[in-house]
Amino acid sequence: MSHPVPTWASVRPSEQLAGTPAVRRDGHGWLVTPTGTVPASDPDFTGELDHFAADMAAADRAIAKLRTERTAILKDRR
């Protein structure tokens, strides 16, 4: 089965890993720049990308929780 190769113009922000050139599309990792695309097929490298993505998602959840708690505290002060 063929997987669509991302191009710089076709990369959606939701596919991009934290503003890096690393992109996950259809379960495959890619390094995408304006000058070209390279498949990220090394299992150690892609495993680290997956760990980084999981850490970024956990950080995003923690920040969202802090914002929610802060909003609740500010509402209670009114």
Side-chain angles (χ1 to χ4, degrees), residues 19-56:
T20 69
V23 172
R24 175 71 72 184
R25 181 172 283 181
D26 294 330
H28 296 281
W30 301 88
L31 297 178
V32 182
T33 69
T35 57
T37 303
V38 176
S41 56
D42 179 88
D44 291 331
F45 179 68
T46 56
E48 288 302 315
L49 286 177
D50 290 342
H51 285 109
F52 181 64
D55 289 345
M56 289 298 297

Side-chain angles (χ1 to χ4, degrees), residues 46-78:
T46 56
E48 288 302 315
L49 286 177
D50 290 342
H51 285 109
F52 181 64
D55 289 345
M56 289 298 297
D60 288 344
R61 287 190 302 274
I63 290 169
K65 181 180 176 194
L66 288 172
R67 287 183 177 151
T68 300
E69 291 170 356
R70 181 172 184 239
T71 300
I73 290 169
L74 292 174
K75 283 183 181 179
D76 287 344
R77 289 184 182 171
R78 291 183 190 170

